[in-house]
Every structure is written in structure tokens, then in C-alpha cells.
């Protein structure tokens, strides 16, 4: 009798939890449906305007804003030369490439020196944004001193390397890229267009990052795009499509884009300087910078825009093994947690408009807490199935009550998510249509299925660990970290823990995307 | 039971949606492949004719014949071919461009472009304007001028670029006019379009130097410099004393580009410490472009300026002032006493206010590189 009552209670609890998880999933996925609709509107707009975008005019114009491409590198010996060559070959009116060798211990610098015939030169470096690692030397190619600058500095992490790059940059726009970012030749023209269209308001633009595994890459360029054969990578292709491409396009359309990937972002240099550069103390320094720009410009009541450019022109290799993926996701989620905590003053604060009232609360509820709800769902599902099985086995002897709805609830939740993954594929097919083979379509469909069965549950576990990393280790230092608001490099704001953002992290190569969806 | 029913219905809906989406992708792919194949089949036989048109220096018999062939193709083939013809138009000049424009006129594409410029849909108006620009036909200018005041900002921007492409100087006052009012356009686009109208509208631009709008005055100065309008020098010299800083900066820059010797006194004044930093930077650069050694003392003094931008601009300008300029840099770059590490003579990151020596060394080192004199990089090798 007692057992029966216990089982009854458990079954009810499972049903209620299942309903709660389902409600959460419906809300998350419906928000994604809305973002997808907004993104589709944006894509149609964009596609209809391609014929008169005026890229060739921008390329030839003497007044196109010149760009400094900032390429931080730490132990990138293998790919650095190819990457720099590809950056130098970008089609653009006027650009310089600034490589910041952030205390590499391998042959990164030697490779660059040999390839570009570098010579050391004296150089006055501005101190517009504060930096930590001392600059050791500055080098330029002996025969074309204007196009490339290589700065060697003491190790200080990626954010610090970028800050040094901002100081070295001579041009009004700075473009952050990763050493392993692959850009199409026209990438910079595309991402710079909003600055030309709306010069008074646009302060930053971000390019979409797509997964390139399985494709053919030659001389730093993607020459033949394919879906990866490898399942884990194929799942991420679909995930990047839905989360980054559609999600960010939607947010951009709403005027509340919170994330620009450091793997391909373009910023007005004066605005970066104004907010004090990148914060060396957070993991997702790229997203933190964008949030800080929002915060600063909203506080100043300035009319500004941060725009996402959805046209697929930048690519990166995504983790191909579980171990690397786990580290990456744990890191991203830790970054998200830190950033939201640091900027918690924005939460539901009407002073920050739609950033404070919509975007930040959304990220808190539907991004940060998503892994928690996801794992509750898994537990409920497992327990329901178990209870069901036990009550069947026990048969006539003991009549156990099994939960009636939990399995259906969760089945529906995942089915809805699967529908959205597929809708993302439809949008891709109708807009950019980058995967042309039938085989690619098959891989994408399987990827969309696996994303919802297995993949997201696994990442939820890793993401949860990211939250725990923050809770366990760093709570006491936060007060001082947020004290000064925008003084990212205020010495008082330096906590004891300095995450070695660039070194020591084996997944740093794939760390360009600090925030992701639920 | 009702809950279960509702849940099952929802699940079924999801399954149907999944099926529908998958089918949609497949159908879309099949259809677009078929369309591609059709277009290719229609245009392939016409390509030789198109290429013989492009290769024509003068319209010879072969080209004329090709033109006739292309003018006579059926409607479906023309629809498939038209985008190619239009995109070729932006890549060719001279007779070939004229032949293509003539073809577009005969096939009614131009008339359609003009008509598109009056449509309700802003995208259609943009397309019409873009096409009018691509054909560089002056008949389109009045229409494009009208579109400068379109209610859609994108249409206005495309009209500006198109007017630049057509290159009719008569459009200049309208382009300048588009900078003011409620329906404005990005100034940089206007500047580029105006440069493309030159030579021709210089007079209009010179009188615009005394326009009531600061933006128009600055734009006129910038464009006169970019267009190499040496006749504008008097107006530009005066504009360096304009009440608006932005206009002064642009006028100084233009005088530098034009290399106007008589601008020397105003530019030296503009470099004075009490002037705004942006103006001083522009003045220093312009003095370099003028190349007159009499600017050496002033630039030499600016090397030690507390404003990094000014010091850097002065250092970069000095080499252009021939031997005296380089001598001034060498003098400024005297080796510092023992506070350098003895092993290396090159400087590292420095504070902005540490004087002109660093700027001078930086510029001299680059000068050496350009002259093919490479520093002894033994120290660098050692460090690596």
C-alpha cells in the first residue's frame, strides 16, 4: 500500500515535471520559431538586394573606410602563414593585417619571418586601450611595410592580444579574426557594407561563422563546401545553422544582437577605445565586448546599430571529438555565465531598452538555464520509462502506477525541436543554398535528428559543468570585477584568477563562439 | 484521454511538418536544377555571338551580325541571357559597352528600367536605377535625379551611385542637394559619385565651398581634392579658414592632394598648436605632399607634440621634404643615452608623450626599408 502510494506520488511528480519541461521547450522553440521567421524576412530582403549592393563600387572607392585586420596567434605554427596570406588577399579597398604573437612558444614567429621576410622596426604604439603583456618587438615585411605588421608580445591571453592589436591598428575599423578563421575573398566587403550604408549609426558588425569540416580548403580558402562525413561535425553544422545563422539574424533584426563572434567581427576602433577595449578577465571576451558597447551607448543615449551579416563568408573547423567539444562547450557556458553575472545590472532595467528588457532576460532564461532544464527532462524521461517497465514486470502482484504523460510530453518537446532544425535547413536551402550535393542533404537530415537525440543532452551536461565552474571557483572575486563597469583593464579590477584564454586551452582554436542557444 | 489525444495530435503534426519540410527541400532542389539546366541550354548557343560583340574594337561586320542575332532571339532565350548582358556591361568600356547598351535598348530593357524606377516596390526602383547606371545612358539622368529624393533610403543610395556611373556633370548640383534635407544619402557615396562626374562640375563644386551647409562645403573640398581640380586652389585656400573644423580638415587634405604651393602659409598656420588636432594632422600630411623644405622647422617642432597623431603625421611628412626633411628626422632621432638595453638599438612600445625621437626612428626605419637598406637583424634572429 505504502509502495503504491509512493509510486503514485512519483508518477504524478514525473507528469508535472514533464509538463514543466514541455512548457519550457515550447517557449524556447517558439522563440526560435520567431527568430527564424525574422531571419527569413531578413534573408529575403538581402537576397532581393544582391544585384545592387554596390560591392564593386565600394572596392574601388577612395573613401571606403580602411580596415585593420587583427589576428591574435598563440602557438599557431602550422597554419599561421596560410592564414595571413589569405587575410592579405582579401578583396578590399585598403587594409592592413596586424598579427599579434601572444607569447608563442613554438615556431609561429619563425614561420612568419621566413614567409614574409620580416625585419624588426621601431614603432610607437598608442596606449589607447590598456594592455598587460609587454610588447617585445614589432616587425614588418622588408619589401611591403604597409600591408603587414607582426607584433611580438608577452603572453597575456587573447583579449590582451586583441587590445594590443587595437593600439597598433592605424585604421578606423578593426576586424577581429581567429588564426583558424577561413574567410571568402569578399568577406570584408560584405561585413563592411553596413558601415557604408549607415555611417552615422553602425558601430559594429559580425559575420556568421559556419562549420567547414569535410570541405576542401586550399590556401586558406574554402573551395568546395561539403557536409562532413563525421557525425559529430555534421550535427554541429546543423546546430550552427540554426543557432548562429538564424538566431543571430533574428536578434539583429530586433536590434538586440548580443553576440558577435571574435572569429569574424568588425568594430569602429574609436568605439572599442571608448569602452576600454576587451576584458582580459572573462572567457567570452568577444560577446562581453558587444554587451559592454550596448551598455555604454545606451547609457549615453546614443543612436547606434550593431548588425549581423548573414551571408556565409567565414568558416571554421568545429571540434571533431567528444573531448574537445566538451571542453569547448564547458568554456562557452562558463563565459556566458560570467558575462551575464558581470552585466546583471542590465537585467530588466528599462534604462537599457530592449537589451535590458528582452535580450539579457532571454539569454538568462533560455540560454544560461537551458542545460538545467534539459537534464531534468532526461531524468524525468528515464525515470518514467523505468517506472513503466517495473510496473509491467511486477504485473498482478503489485500494481504500480506509471506516469501517464511524461513520455509523451518529452517526445513532443523533442519533436518540436526537430521540426525547428529542419525548418532551419529549409531556410538555408531557399536562401544561401551552399550545400548542393544530395549526399549533403542526407547528412544534414541525420545531423538534425541527432542534434535533438543525444547531442543536446550531452552538451547540456558539459554546459552545466561550465556554470558549476563559475559557481564553485569564482564567486568571491566577482564583486571587484564588476565594480568599475567599463574599466576593463583597471588594475583594481584584476582578480587573482587570470584565465589563460589563449594558452593552455586545447580548444582555443575552436573557441570563437562563446554563446550558444539552448 | 483528452490530454493524451491532444499530445498525440501534436506529435502527428510535428511528424507531418517534418515530412513536408524534407519534401520541400527536395522539390526546391529539383526545380532549381531544372531551371539552371534550361537557362544553360538556352544561352549556350548564343554565347559565341555575345563574345564576338565583346571583342569588337569597332563594330565590324561580324559584330554587327552578332548584334542582329542577339536582337532577334526569342523572349525566353532573352530572359535567360539578359542578366549576363547586364553584368558584362559593368565590365567593358568603349564600343563593346555601346554595342551592349544598344542591344539592351532594342530589347526594351532600358525602357523597362525607366519604368521600374516608377514602381511601388522599392527593390524594383533600385533595380531600375542600378540598370540605368550600368548602361551609362544619359537619357536616364532625369529619372535618377528624381530618385535622389525617393522616400526609400536604399533607392536614393543606388541613384547616387548610378549617377556617378553615368558621369553626367549636370547631375552635380542635384547630388550636392541630396546631402541636405530630410531624405539624405550617405555622404561618402555622394563624394565618390561627384569625383566620377569630374572633369566638368568643378565650378559648381567651387561655389559649393561657400554653401550654407557645413556638410556640403566639406564634401565640395574633399571632392575637389580627389578629382585633382587645381583650378579650385583659391577657394580651397580660403576654406582652410572656414568656421567648421570638418571643412577645414577636408580643405587642408585637398590642398595636399593637389600640391598647391601657395597653400603653404595657411597650412603652416593650421599646424599651430592652438588648432584642433584633426586639422593639425591633416595640415602636417598636406605639408608633406606640398614638399616645400620651408615647412621643415614647423614639422620638426610638431615631432615633439604631445598629441601622438600630430607627431606621427609630422614624422611621416618630413621625408617628402627632400634632404632637409630627412636631416631633421635624423637630428630628432639621435640615439638615446644609456637607458636602452645595449644589445638592441631598436625601440619597443613607448608612451605617447615620450617625444619625437621615437616617431623619427620609426619613419627612418621604414624609409630604409623602402630604399632597400635592411637593418642588421642578427639581434632578431638571436631572440627568435
Amino acid at each position: 500500500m505504502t509502495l503504491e502510494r509512493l509510486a503514485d506520488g512519483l508518477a504524478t511528480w514525473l507528469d508535472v515535471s514533464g509538463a514543466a519541461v514541455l512548457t519550457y521547450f515550447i517557449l524556447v522553440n517558439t522563440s526560435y520559431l520567431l527568430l527564424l521567421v525574422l531571419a527569413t524576412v531578413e534573408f529575403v530582403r538581402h537576397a532581393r538586394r544582391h544585384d545592387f549592393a554596390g560591392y564593386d563600387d565600394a572596392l574601388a572607392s577612395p573613401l571606403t573606410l580602411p580596415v585593420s585586420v587583427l589576428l591574435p596567434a598563440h602557438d599557431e605554427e602550422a597554419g599561421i602563414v596560410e592564414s595571413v596570406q589569405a587575410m592579405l588577399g582579401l578583396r578590399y579597398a585598403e587594409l592592413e593585417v596586424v598579427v599579434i604573437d601572444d607569447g608563442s612558444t613554438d615556431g609561429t614567429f619563425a614561420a612568419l619571418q621566413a614567409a614574409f621576410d620580416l625585419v624588426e622596426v621601431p614603432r610607437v604604439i598608442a596606449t589607447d586601450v590598456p594592455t598587460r603583456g609587454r610588447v617585445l618587438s614589432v616587425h614588418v615585411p622588408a619589401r611591403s611595410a604597409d600591408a603587414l605588421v607582426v607584433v611580438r608580445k608577452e603572453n597575456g591571453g587573447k583579449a590582451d592580444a586583441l587590445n594590443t592589436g587595437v593600439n597598433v591598428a592605424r585604421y578606423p575599423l578593426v576586424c577581429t579574426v581567429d588564426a583558424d578563421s577561413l574567410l571568402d575573398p569578399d568577406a570584408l566587403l560584405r561585413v563592411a557594407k553596413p558601415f557604408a550604408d549607415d555611417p552615422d549609426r553602425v558601430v559594429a558588425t559580425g559575420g556568421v561563422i559556419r562549420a567547414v569540416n569535410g570541405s576542401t580548403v586550399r590556401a586558406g580558402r574554402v573551395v568546395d563546401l561539403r557536409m562532413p562525413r563525421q557525425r559529430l561535425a555534421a550535427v554541429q553544422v546543423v546546430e550552427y545553422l540554426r543557432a548562429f545563422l538564424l538566431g543571430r539574424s533574428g536578434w539583429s533584426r530586433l536590434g538586440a544582437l548580443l553576440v558577435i563572434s571574435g572569429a569574424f567581427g568588425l568594430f569602429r576602433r574609436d568605439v572599442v577605445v571608448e569602452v576600454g577595449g576587451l576584458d582580459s578577465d572573462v572567457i567570452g571576451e568577444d560577446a562581453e565586448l558587444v554587451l559592454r558597447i550596448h551598455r555604454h551607448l545606451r547609457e549615453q543615449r546614443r543612436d547606434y546599430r550593431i548588425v549581423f551579416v548573414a551571408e556565409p563568408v567565414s568558416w571554421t573547423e568545429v571540434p571533431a571529438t567528444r573531448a574537445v567539444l566538451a571542453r569547448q562547450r564547458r568554456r562557452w557556458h562558463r563565459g556566458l555565465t560570467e558575462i551575464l553575472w558581470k552585466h546583471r545590472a542590465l537585467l530588466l532595467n528599462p534604462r537599457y531598452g530592449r537589451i535590458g528588457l528582452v535580450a539579457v532576460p532571454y539569454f538568462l532564461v533560455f540560454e544560461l538555464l537551458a542545460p538545467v532544464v534539459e537534464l531534468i527532462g532526461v531524468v524525468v524521461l528515464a525515470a518514467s520509462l523505468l517506472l513503466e517497465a517495473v510496473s509491467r514486470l511486477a504485473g498482478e502482484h503489485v500494481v504500480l502506477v506509471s506516469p501517464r504523460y511524461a513520455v509523451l510530453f518529452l517526445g513532443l518537446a523533442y519533436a518540436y525541436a526537430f521540426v525547428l532544425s529542419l525548418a532551419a535547413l529549409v531556410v538555408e536551402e531557399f536562401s544561401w543554398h551552399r550545400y548542393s550535393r544530395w549526399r549533403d542533404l542526407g547528412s544534414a537530415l541525420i545531423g538534425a535528428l541527432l542534434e535533438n537525440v543525444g547531442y543536446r543532452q550531452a552538451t547540456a551536461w558539459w554546459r552545466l559543468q561550465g556554470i558549476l565552474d563559475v559557481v564553485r571557483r569564482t564567486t568571491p572575486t566577482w564583486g571587484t570585477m564588476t565594480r568599475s563597469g567599463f574599466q576593463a583593464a583597471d588594475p583594481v579590477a584584476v582578480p587573482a584568477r587570470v584565465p589563460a584564454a589563449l594558452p593552455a586551452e586545447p580548444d582555443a582554436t575552436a573557441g570563437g563562439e562563446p554563446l550558444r542557444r539552448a | 484521454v483528452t490530454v493524451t489525444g491532444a499530445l498525440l495530435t501534436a506529435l502527428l503534426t510535428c511528424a507531418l511538418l517534418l515530412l513536408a519540410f524534407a519534401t520541400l527541400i527536395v522539390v526546391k532542389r529539383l526545380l532549381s536544377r531544372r531551371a539552371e539546366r534550361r537557362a544553360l541550354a538556352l544561352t549556350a548557343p548564343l554565347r559565341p555571338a555575345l563574345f564576338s560583340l565583346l571583342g569588337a574594337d569597332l563594330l565590324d561586320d561580324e559584330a554587327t551580325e552578332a548584334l542582329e542575332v542577339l536582337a532577334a532571339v526569342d523572349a525566353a532565350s532573352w530572359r535567360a541571357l539578359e542578366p549576363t548582358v547586364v553584368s558584362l556591361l559593368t565590365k567593358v568600356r568603349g564600343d563593346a559597352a555601346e554595342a551592349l547598351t544598344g542591344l539592351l535598348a532594342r530589347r526594351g530593357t532600358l525602357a523597362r528600367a525607366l519604368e521600374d524606377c516608377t514602381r511601388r516596390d522599392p527593390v524594383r526602383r533600385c533595380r531600375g536605377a542600378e540598370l540605368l547606371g550600368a548602361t551609362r545612358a544619359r537619357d536616364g539622368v532625369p529619372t535618377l535625379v528624381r530618385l535622389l529624393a525617393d522616400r526609400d533610403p536604399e533607392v536614393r543610395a543606388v541613384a547616387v551611385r548610378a549617377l556617378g556611373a553615368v558621369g553626367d556633370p549636370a547631375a552635380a548640383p542635384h547630388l550636392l542637394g541630396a546631402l541636405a534635407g530630410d531624405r539624405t544619402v550617405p555622404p561618402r557615396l555622394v563624394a565618390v559619385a561627384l569625383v566620377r562626374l569630374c572633369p566638368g562640375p568643378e565650378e559648381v563644386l567651387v561655389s559649393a565651398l561657400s554653401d550654407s551647409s557645413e556638410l556640403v562645403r566639406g564634401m565640395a573640398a574633399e571632392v575637389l581634392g580627389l578629382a585633382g581640380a587645381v583650378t579650385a586652389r583659391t577657394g580651397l585656400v580660403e576654406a582652410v579658414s572656414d568656421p567648421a573644423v570638418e571643412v577645414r580638415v577636408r580643405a587642408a587634405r585637398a590642398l595636399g592632394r593637389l600640391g598647391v604651393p601657395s597653400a603653404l602659409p595657411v597650412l603652416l598656420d593650421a599646424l599651430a598648436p592652438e588648432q584642433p588636432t584633426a586639422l593639425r594632422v591633416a595640415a602636417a600630411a598636406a605639408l608633406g605632399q606640398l614638399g616645400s623644405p620651408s615647412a621643415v622647422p614647423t614639422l620638426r617642432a610638431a615631432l615633439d607634440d604631445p598629441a601622438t597623431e600630430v607627431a606621427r603625421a609630422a614624422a611621416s611628412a618630413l621625408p617628402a621634404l627632400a634632404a632637409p626633411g630627412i636631416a631633421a628626422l635624423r637630428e630628432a632621432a639621435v640615439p638615446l643615452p644609456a637607458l636602452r638595453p645595449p644589445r638592441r638599438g631598436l625601440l619597443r612600445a613607448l608612451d605617447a608623450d615620450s617625444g619625437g625621437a621615437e616617431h623619427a626612428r620609426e619613419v627612418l626605419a621604414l624609409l630604409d626599408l623602402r630604399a632597400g637598406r635592411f637593418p642588421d637583424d642578427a639581434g632578431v634572429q638571436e631572440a627568435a
Side-chain angles (χ1 to χ4, degrees), chain A residues 493-511:
Chain A
V494 179
R497 170 193 60 89
V498 180
L502 217 68
E505 287 285 343
D507 65 336
T509 50

Side-chain angles (χ1 to χ4, degrees), chain A residues 48-49 52 57 61 63 120 122 124-125 136 142-143 146 405 418 422 429 435-438, chain B residues 4 18 28-29 33 121 123 126-127 130 154 161 188 191-192 312 344 348 350 362 370 374 380:
Chain A
R48 292 190 72 206
R49 280 157 177 77
F52 48 85
D57 285 0
S61 163
L63 294 176
E120 185 173 356
V124 184
I125 298 176
L136 301 169
R143 274 164 195 85
D146 295 326
Y405 306 124
F418 187 26
L422 221 58
E429 184 71 28
Y435 298 95
S436 52
R437 295 176 178 78
W438 288 110
Chain B
T4 316
L18 288 172
K28 153 77 175 40
R29 211 170 259 205
R33 284 191 176 191
D121 179 4
V123 172
C126 284
R127 284 198 185 132
E130 179 81 14
E154 213 159 10
R161 286 195 297 104
R188 255 181 239 119
V192 174
R312 167 169 294 189
R344 296 209 215 160
R348 308 287 167 256
L350 291 148
E362 179 179 332
R370 288 199 187 102
F374 304 126
V380 179

Side-chain angles (χ1 to χ4, degrees), chain A residues 31 39 42 64 184-185 188 222 250 360 400 414 443:
Chain A
S31 77
E42 190 62 34
T64 297
D184 285 357
L188 211 47
V222 182
V360 170
L400 282 173
Y414 289 120
S443 309

Side-chain angles (χ1 to χ4, degrees), chain B residues 91-110:
Chain B
K91 296 179 181 71
V92 297
R93 288 267 176 273
D95 288 338
E98 256 174 53
L100 290 177
T101 307
L103 180 62
L104 289 173
R106 281 175 74 175
R107 293 298 315 209
T109 309
L110 278 185

Side-chain angles (χ1 to χ4, degrees), chain A residues 88-405:
Chain A
L88 287 170
L90 288 172
R91 260 161 51 90
Y92 198 73
E94 194 176 0
L95 73 95
E96 65 168 356
V97 176
V98 180
V99 179
I100 308 99
D101 178 5
D102 190 46
S104 291
T105 51
D106 68 350
T108 300
F109 178 73
L112 285 170
Q113 192 179 31
F116 298 101
D117 194 12
L118 297 179
V119 291
E120 185 173 356
V121 289
R123 174 128 170 171
V124 184
I125 298 176
T127 47
D128 292 339
V129 292
T131 53
R132 288 180 182 166
R134 212 162 47 93
V135 171
L136 301 169
S137 56
V138 177
H139 309 256
V140 295
R143 274 164 195 85
S144 54
D146 295 326
L148 174 65
V149 188
V150 178
V151 181
R152 302 189 78 186
K153 68 183 280 289
E154 288 169 350
N155 184 269
K158 188 172 173 182
D160 192 52
L162 285 169
N163 282 337
T164 303
V166 169
N167 284 334
V168 171
R170 287 180 302 173
Y171 293 146
L173 295 180
V174 290
C175 177
T176 64
V177 294
D178 284 347
D180 59 348
S181 297
L182 299 162
L183 302 186
D184 285 357
D186 275 353
L188 211 47
L189 279 176
R190 305 289 155 111
V191 174
K193 183 169 158 51
F195 287 95
D197 290 346
D198 195 357
D200 293 333
R201 294 199 298 157
V202 174
V203 295
T205 62
V208 68
I209 307 297
R210 296 250 211 144
V212 76
N213 303 42
S215 308
T216 314
V217 175
R218 210 167 291 143
R221 301 258 189 257
V222 182
V223 291
D224 182 23
L225 189 67
R226 293 183 189 212
M227 283 290 290
R229 298 265 184 95
Q230 209 239 357
R231 284 285 142 78
L232 192 63
V235 173
Q236 288 175 80
V237 170
V238 179
E239 184 199 17
Y240 273 54
L241 265 186
R242 187 180 56 162
F244 300 145
L245 179 63
L246 299 175
R248 288 184 192 168
S249 299
W251 282 115
S252 173
R253 178 104 190 132
L254 287 173
L257 180 67
L258 289 197
V259 187
I260 285 179
S261 166
F264 191 34
L266 193 56
F267 299 85
R268 255 173 56 182
R269 184 181 181 275
D270 59 335
V271 173
V272 177
V273 169
E274 206 180 313
V275 301
L278 292 102
D279 185 347
S280 305
D281 293 323
V282 295
I283 285 178
E285 72 286 327
D286 42 8
E288 199 278 334
L289 175 67
V290 177
L291 193 54
R292 198 142 37 88
I293 290 175
H294 274 300
R295 184 173 179 168
H296 178 70
L297 296 179
R298 292 251 167 199
E299 279 169 359
Q300 304 235 318
R301 301 187 180 286
R302 301 227 298 253
D303 188 15
Y304 72 98
R305 282 174 66 208
I306 294 179
V307 183
F308 182 71
V309 178
E311 204 160 341
V313 286
S314 44
W315 316 85
T316 193
E317 208 165 329
V318 298
T321 65
R322 281 173 59 101
V324 177
L325 183 69
R327 272 199 297 275
Q328 184 196 51
R329 294 311 158 104
R330 187 168 174 163
R331 215 175 109 83
W332 285 4
H333 220 71
R334 180 179 170 164
L336 172 64
T337 315
E338 286 181 351
I339 291 165
L340 287 179
W341 180 255
K342 179 176 171 182
H343 292 287
R344 61 190 182 277
L346 271 66
L347 187 69
L348 298 178
N349 189 337
R351 185 180 179 196
Y352 300 101
R354 58 188 76 177
I355 301 298
L357 295 177
V358 184
V360 170
Y362 179 91
F363 269 81
L364 176 69
V365 177
F366 292 135
E367 299 271 350
L368 185 69
L369 297 180
V372 180
V373 180
E374 184 91 48
L375 290 174
I376 292 175
V378 173
V379 170
V380 169
L381 187 63
S384 305
L385 292 172
L386 192 71
L387 201 57
E388 176 101 24
V390 169
S391 71
R392 289 232 173 118
L393 279 176
E396 303 138 24
H397 308 294
V398 192
V399 182
L400 282 173
V401 185
S402 62
R404 283 178 299 173
Y405 306 124

Side-chain angles (χ1 to χ4, degrees), chain B residues 72-94:
Chain B
V73 296
D74 62 286
S77 303
W78 176 251
R79 264 202 304 281
L81 194 68
E82 197 186 69
T84 317
V85 176
V86 171
S87 74
L88 281 174
L89 197 54
T90 58
K91 296 179 181 71
V92 297
R93 288 267 176 273

